[in-house]
Amino acid sequence: MFDGIGKRVVCMWFPRLASDRVLRTRPIEAPFALTLRQSNTERIHCLNARAEALGLHRAMSLADARAFCPDLVSRPAEPGRDARFLLALGRWAQRYCPWVGREGADGLVLDVTGSTHLWGGEEAMLEDMRARLARAGLELRLGLADTRGAAWALAHFGTGIAPVGQTRRALAPLPVAALRLDEAICTGLQRLGLRTVADLCTTPRAPLARRFGPALLARLDQALGDVAEAISPEADPPHFGLRLTFPDPIGLVSDVMAATARLLEPLCARLKAQGVGARRLELTLRRVDQGSQQVELRLAAAMRDAVRILPLFERGVAEVDAGFGIDQIRLEATLVEPLPVEQIGAIQARGAPDRLADLITRIGTRIGLENVQRYLPADSHIPERSFLIAPAAYSTPEGGWCSPRPRPLRLFPPEAIAGSGPQPPERFRWRRMSFATARATGPERIAPEWWLEDDNWRSGMRDYWRVETRQGRRLWLFYTPQDPGWFVQGEFA
């Protein structure tokens, strides 16, 4: 669909989209700015009107801004959340017309051809937009014209409505930047004395094309309606939810599981078509008394195999109170992850990883997925920092467990023992037991990581020894030369 002369297009510009999104839920009666790190410098990304009135502006460094305004309240910007908020505004704007597209990172464009009369005319429609968004705490600037480019120009550099067929007259007094040109082109035009759109319209086109390229004339023709410009609406995100209503209420676990199986098959087919797998599924059971219960299933790995997923629902479904009966169930994948198709052959079999993921899911439904953990290697020569503990459902097993020297299977906080000198003591007491050294191997000197703060290593470097005792215990001892003392920190199997 194209917007040209004869059509009516509205441009909605939110000049403070990012800051308004934050302040509408957490109002602050002070100068406020959102910052974004650029080239190792925190710079202002968006700010409220009060901060702008004090002389602050976008792209200004945060240090300079605080020098001008010590009371400035700042927070890190979140462009991802701003984009999702703009997407939600686009869905809301469909109340005015069905054809809504995105205009940059802070605007929307609406093709309102044939729908303005539903709101009492163009003026009434724009006034309704302003009133509703003002109540939502959003600053809005609007432009309405025959073309998308003209509507954008009026929203950013003009005001009001360009009457039908008078686009050229409405754009004439506006600066050349209103044509959505690059800053370099605008600067070059101003050096030539071409400051307004009217100046461009009266200038021969061939010299402009030779000097500035085709982009300048393309933008001018789009704004005037000589070249069509498409409005591409945002596609609705895929929805992974299905519903099944029963003519007669059900209450048996077997019946609910059978109904869940009927929903799982098409849901998994939809997940496969989108190239994703479910990580969290929610089964909603509505009873005849209008009450509902939810069974949430969190999976240890992304899945879209109905045969594997269905048995994992049994425990949750068995705990549901059906009351006087269930007349509707709804199954939805509330969290999905990319799951590309993989080639499976005789060499690469997925049976073992799949069974492990199913086992983690089953245990996680009882104690929580976060409590099923695994050890992962860490890049550190400090014994207690050489591994990480991560939830098994949200991590992948890694190799790379390598150490130049043997390490004990059991590590514990250092426990002091009596001893003197750099050599392991021949006899010592540990945990109320007496030991005699039979053989000692070492030392292995480990220095602290000076770039990390660790109170346990403030005593300096350590000399580690593997000590085999005559009583059969194999211990890991260390000596601290800078602050002489002996400690036991681990035990070998």
Side-chain angles (χ1 to χ4, degrees), residues 364-435:
T365 57
R366 295 174 178 266
I367 64 174
L369 284 178
E370 294 79 6
N371 297 321
V372 183
Q373 300 174 335
R374 64 159 51 101
Y375 289 95
L376 299 176
D379 187 13
S380 176
H381 58 271
I382 302 298
E384 52 267 39
R385 291 180 181 166
S386 60
F387 63 92
L388 300 174
I389 300 178
Y394 306 108
S395 60
T396 56
E398 297 182 9
W401 289 95
C402 60
S403 175
R405 304 287 180 88
R407 291 289 184 263
L409 293 180
R410 293 180 57 205
L411 278 176
F412 40 80
E415 301 175 4
I417 60 173
S420 61
Q423 297 297 320
E426 295 182 359
R427 295 183 179 275
F428 59 92
R429 289 185 61 83
W430 173 61
R431 295 183 177 179
R432 299 182 180 181
M433 295 180 289
S434 298
F435 294 95

Side-chain angles (χ1 to χ4, degrees), residues 20-234:
D20 286 347
R21 178 188 62 80
V22 176
L23 295 178
R24 65 193 294 266
T25 56
R26 291 171 288 180
I28 296 177
E29 296 297 332
F32 177 79
L34 295 174
T35 62
L36 203 60
R37 192 166 188 84
Q38 300 175 352
S39 302
N40 294 327
T41 303
E42 291 289 338
R43 297 190 178 276
I44 292 180
H45 173 69
C46 191
L47 66 169
N48 63 355
R50 188 166 182 177
E52 191 171 355
L54 296 175
L56 308 185
H57 57 84
R58 297 194 181 196
M60 187 179 190
S61 68
L62 182 60
D64 293 342
R66 292 198 181 280
F68 279 97
C69 180
D71 298 332
L72 178 67
V73 179
S74 65
R75 290 177 184 168
E78 299 176 287
R81 298 189 66 176
D82 297 336
R84 291 192 293 270
F85 183 61
L86 183 61
L87 182 62
L89 288 174
R91 291 196 293 268
W92 169 84
Q94 291 180 357
R95 62 184 290 116
Y96 297 102
C97 66
W99 210 256
V100 180
R102 183 180 300 186
E103 186 64 77
D106 55 3
L108 299 171
V109 57
L110 294 74
D111 188 342
V112 297
T113 305
S115 62
T116 56
H117 69 281
L118 301 175
W119 302 90
E122 296 176 348
E123 288 283 0
M125 183 183 66
L126 297 188
E127 186 59 33
D128 184 77
M129 293 177 180
R130 293 191 187 96
R132 291 180 181 273
L133 292 173
R135 288 196 297 268
L138 299 177
E139 183 177 341
L140 175 67
R141 298 183 186 178
L142 292 166
L144 194 154
D146 293 336
T147 66
R148 178 176 180 173
W152 187 94
L154 291 174
H156 288 73
F157 295 91
T159 181
I161 301 172
V164 177
Q166 299 186 24
T167 302
R168 185 181 297 267
R169 179 181 299 179
L171 295 180
L174 300 183
V176 292
L179 297 178
R180 298 173 292 173
L181 300 173
D182 294 337
E183 185 177 354
I185 296 178
C186 294
T187 302
L189 291 172
Q190 292 174 2
R191 289 175 179 174
L192 296 177
L194 303 176
R195 302 183 181 278
T196 65
V197 177
D199 296 335
L200 283 179
C201 293
T202 58
T203 302
R205 298 171 60 93
L208 292 176
R210 285 195 300 268
R211 181 157 186 167
F212 298 102
L216 170 60
L217 298 181
R219 285 300 191 187
L220 178 62
D221 293 338
Q222 287 173 349
L224 297 179
D226 297 332
V227 174
E229 186 176 5
I231 297 178
S232 301
E234 293 289 333

